Structure formats: structure tokens, C-alpha cells
Amino acid sequence: PIKITTFQGKVSHIQDFKDGGKGALRIFKVSCDDIKDFSFVPGQFVMTAMNDCKNIAKPEEMKWSALSIASSHLELNEIHFCIRAKSETGLMYYMAHKMKIGDTIHMRGPYGKFVMKEDPKGIIFVATGTGIAPIIAMLRTLLKQHYAHPIKLFFGFRNPDEYMYKEELESYIHKHKNFELIPTISRPEGFNWNGKVGYVQETLKNFEFSEDISGFDAYLCGLPLACDDSIKILIAKGVNGTRISKEVYD
């Protein structure tokens, strides 16, 4: 059984992305000095809260929201997250616009069943936007464990300004010969971009796999349409539907 733990940490790093000039896309890290009782599996999430962001319905209580963990469970001194604020209220807006270094983050978890299966002969990841969070947690863990089978990451985002984890992901191409990165943007206007253009599921559909992928696992996270279309495409390309998992982000 999963042990649910309540703990806290301090914001130790913040990286902002332009997100169309709104400044609502952000990666941040939380330093946790004493979380000996907390453990999780890559792909899971925690409930998070901050002291100054209150529940509108119950102003005496903090507002709690789910956030997927972006870091590997092999490194528990820091927990990584990435967020996008789509509205002007709530915890995501507060974290995106008002959170600063040193602020306290309250956490409770882990939760979720979007986790890797055993003994995959290869892995295909498909992520859109902040759907990269649980995917990069899985990827970081696989590479730290020296996973030897092929790994393909199809990562879709709107434009190059929203390319989260760019340096890290591109460094893996050179460090790990079994890793292939296929980034694609859906809104190229006004940007200098030499990579794939279009929705990530279109890139997946047009991609020619050099391996037999019938024994691969696939993990999809992001927009509902991208996930649903990608499942159909992967099955058509030979992936067993029982080996495909998804987590939808609206």
C-alpha cells in the first residue's frame, strides 16, 4: 500500500518562460531537507499548497492543487515541478506570478497510477506542454538506471519560447545513444525553428520507426485530443493497446 506523507519544503529555483508574454509558464524546484518518510514512483503527483493562497470557499484553509512530480525518485533532496497558469485565480496563478525563492510549499502524497510497467522492450513518450512533468520524471529515472532499450520522446509545445528542459533533453541525445528526441511546435509564426512543425500527434503519425515497436510501452501526457489521437496512431503502428498509458491535462 502507498503511504501518504505530509511534508514541506522551500522554493530553491525558479525558471520562467515567456508563454506569449504572459509569464505564466514556470519550472521550479523545492528543497526538502527532511522527507525520510516520503517515497513515490515516477509519474505520480502530490497535492500542493501555499500559506498565502486560500480556498475561496473556505478562506481559513489553504487551496490545495495537484502537481505531477518532474524529478526522479532517486534524488529526494529536491522535488521539481512545472506549471502553467490558465486562469487569473487559484494556486497555479499564485505560483506562476507571486511565488518567490524561499517560499514554503506544503505537499501531501504521493497519488496516481500513471506509472511505468515492468520489463519494457522499448519506450515511446508523448507529451504536450506541462504534460512533460511526469514524462521527464520517468525519463530521468530510466537514464539514471542505465536503461538500454530504445527511448523515443515526442514533445509538443506551441513555440520555442515554451521549450521546457531544452538543454537537459538535448544533452541526453549525446550522452545516451538509445535516446531519440523529437520536439515539435504548433505555432511557428515569428520564430526561427528548424525542427518539426504541427501538432505532436501529426509528427508521431508521420514518424518512421526504425525498430519493431510491437513490444514497446507508451506513456502519453497532455492535452486530451493529443493523447487520444496518439493512442490510435500507436496502435495502428503496432503497439499493443494494453501497453499504452495516458494522463490527461486540460
Side-chain angles (χ1 to χ4, degrees), residues 72-233:
S72 170
H73 70 295
L74 301 177
E75 295 182 355
L76 271 181
N77 58 320
E78 274 189 338
I79 297 181
H80 300 190
F81 301 100
C82 64
I83 57 171
R84 184 192 298 275
K86 291 188 175 182
S87 68
E88 295 187 0
T89 60
L91 183 61
M92 294 305 101
Y93 181 83
Y94 188 93
M95 286 181 164
H97 293 278
K98 299 181 181 181
M99 183 177 66
K100 59 187 183 300
I101 300 292
D103 282 352
T104 297
I105 306 290
H106 301 274
M107 290 163 279
R108 183 173 66 238
Y111 302 98
K113 298 180 180 179
F114 182 62
V115 297
M116 289 185 287
K117 299 178 177 66
E118 294 183 0
D119 195 30
K121 300 300 186 289
I123 295 180
I124 299 167
F125 292 124
V126 182
T128 64
T130 54
I132 190 66
I135 298 297
I136 199 168
M138 295 178 183
L139 176 63
R140 286 167 165 169
T141 300
L142 288 167
L143 296 180
K144 286 180 182 296
Q145 293 175 332
H146 307 290
Y147 180 77
H149 296 293
I151 305 171
K152 317 283 188 185
L153 169 57
F154 295 83
F155 184 18
F157 39 94
R158 292 189 295 190
N159 60 61
D161 284 346
E162 299 186 15
Y163 192 171
M164 292 177 290
Y165 305 106
K166 178 179 187 295
E167 292 78 14
E168 177 182 350
L169 290 173
E170 293 184 352
S171 74
Y172 291 154
I173 299 171
H174 307 290
K175 295 176 183 177
H176 303 275
K177 301 302 181 183
N178 61 322
F179 175 65
E180 187 170 0
L181 174 66
I182 307 97
T184 182
I185 63 173
S186 58
R187 300 182 186 179
E189 296 80 9
F191 292 94
N192 182 18
W193 175 258
N194 296 320
K196 304 287 186 182
V197 174
Y199 292 120
V200 69
Q201 61 267 40
E202 296 169 352
T203 298
L204 176 64
K205 183 177 182 179
N206 296 325
F207 187 81
E208 295 291 337
F209 289 92
S210 58
E211 308 93 344
D212 175 8
I213 63 172
S214 60
F216 281 32
D217 285 0
Y219 300 92
L220 294 61
C221 188
L223 296 172
L225 181 61
C227 290
D228 292 343
D229 284 352
S230 295
I231 290 173
K232 295 174 186 176
I233 292 165

